[in-house]
Structures are given as structure tokens and as C-alpha cells.
Amino acid sequence: MSRTGKKPVAVPAGVTAAIADGQLSVKGPKGTLSLPLADEVTYSIEDGVIAVKPANDSKRARAFWGMQRTLIANLITGVTEGYTKKLLITGVGYRADAKGKVLNLKLGYSHDVDFDVPEGIEIKTPDNTTVEISGIDKQKVGQVAAEIRRWRKPEPYKGKGIKYAGEFIFRKEGKKK
């Protein structure tokens, strides 16, 4: 039994959810998101909650049960509050600047890195060492943050690079004299 799957997902006021053509569409104040529905799980929308149940007793259906409930909860949170990831840039001369739909990164390479911001994602740079990525799709926000971080991962000796806010970088001691 899935502890996560048992809990119904509450649909807050101002959010509408509808099931049509194998898709769950959720519309809220921040936008609209949709999720393709898995055949192994049954869905029902009643009294302002979305309930998810396995269609049969197979192992695959039970595996999909909790995951589908979590994906639906992510849709509801996305259209009401949205998601934000914060990246911190550490290193001498390393900096970022958001100009429209392009994020310009100076990361110690012989050239600047220009990252094209995908549709549905907003990138802000409150200062030149902080990048804030926000959007309504949790998966897309996380993917964009990972792609930006991939340009210069934090290294363990001086901690230079791009890291997530709150991430701990294990530092190595280096050579002893």
C-alpha cells in the first residue's frame, strides 16, 4: 500500500482540473499544465479533490500509484505558487547576467557562455553571483537549473563553480607541507 498514493490531492479555490483524452489538465492563476495519465491507475475528481487508485493489483500499478499522485500534486502547486531554484556562483571573476531570454555566464573559460532560456522559464540575477530560476513546471525548472550548473560544477578544493543554494560541498584538505 502506498502511503503517498492514499492521500487525495486537494484542488484549491481558483484552480480547475479536468480529465479528457487521457490527459489531466489543471488551470490556475499562474497558467495551465497537463499530465498524460497512466493506464495502470484510475483517477477521479470529486468535491474539490483528485483521488488516485491502482487499476489492478499488479506490481506496476502499485508502483505508478504514488508517483502519479505526486505528479498531480506538483501540477497543483505549480499553477498556484510556482517553483524556484536558486544557484550561487563562487569564484574570482565568475558572474552571471540575465538579458531578456539569454543568460550570459562568465565562468573562467576563454569565451562567455550564452544560455538560451526555454519557454515557460524566467531567470533573474539579483546580483552577479546569484541566479534565480522560476516557472510553473517543477521538472522544467529543475532541468534548466541542472543544465546551467553543468557548465561549471563546484570543485572540492576551493569550492569554485555553480552550486544550488543550501548545497554542501565537501572540501578536501589538499597537500600538507
Side-chain angles (χ1 to χ4, degrees):
M1 295 294 280
S2 172
R3 290 185 190 185
T4 305
K6 282 190 225 175
K7 300 176 194 164
V9 180
V11 180
V15 176
T16 59
I19 297 174
D21 301 328
Q23 295 253 338
L24 171 70
S25 298
V26 179
K27 185 175 183 182
K30 291 207 174 240
T32 304
L33 289 173
S34 64
L35 173 73
L37 301 178
D39 295 334
E40 292 85 359
V41 180
T42 59
Y43 307 85
S44 63
I45 302 172
E46 304 166 345
D47 302 328
V49 295
I50 302 173
V52 183
K53 291 190 170 55
N56 52 42
D57 287 336
S58 70
K59 188 173 183 176
R60 184 173 170 85
R62 286 183 282 124
F64 271 69
W65 183 19
M67 180 189 67
Q68 288 295 313
R69 188 259 179 217
T70 302
L71 291 175
I72 292 169
N74 288 345
L75 293 183
I76 301 287
T77 305
V79 297
T80 54
E81 302 166 19
Y83 290 98
T84 303
K85 287 259 187 194
K86 192 173 184 182
L87 298 174
L88 304 174
I89 301 173
T90 308
V92 177
Y94 290 10
R95 55 188 175 272
D97 185 29
K99 296 177 185 168
K101 283 291 191 184
V102 175
L103 176 66
N104 181 272
L105 299 166
K106 293 174 176 43
L107 299 172
Y109 296 120
S110 61
H111 60 283
D112 292 355
V113 175
D114 287 330
F115 182 81
D116 294 325
V117 180
E119 195 66 35
I121 298 293
E122 183 181 335
I123 293 184
K124 296 180 198 166
T125 50
D127 58 56
N128 60 5
T129 60
T130 305
V131 178
E132 290 180 355
I133 304 150
S134 58
I136 62 172
D137 189 351
K138 184 176 186 177
Q139 293 172 334
K140 195 183 261 189
V141 169
Q143 182 64 38
V144 168
E147 288 173 8
I148 293 171
R149 183 180 186 269
R150 190 171 60 198
W151 280 102
R152 183 70 84 178
K153 289 184 182 172
E155 52 96 8
Y157 296 101
K158 293 184 180 178
K160 297 188 326 182
I162 302 172
K163 68 176 186 171
Y164 296 109
E167 180 183 11
F168 175 75
I169 305 300
F170 183 74
R171 301 281 298 270
K172 293 186 177 178
E173 285 185 28
K175 291 184 179 179
K176 296 191 182 202
K177 295 183 180 182

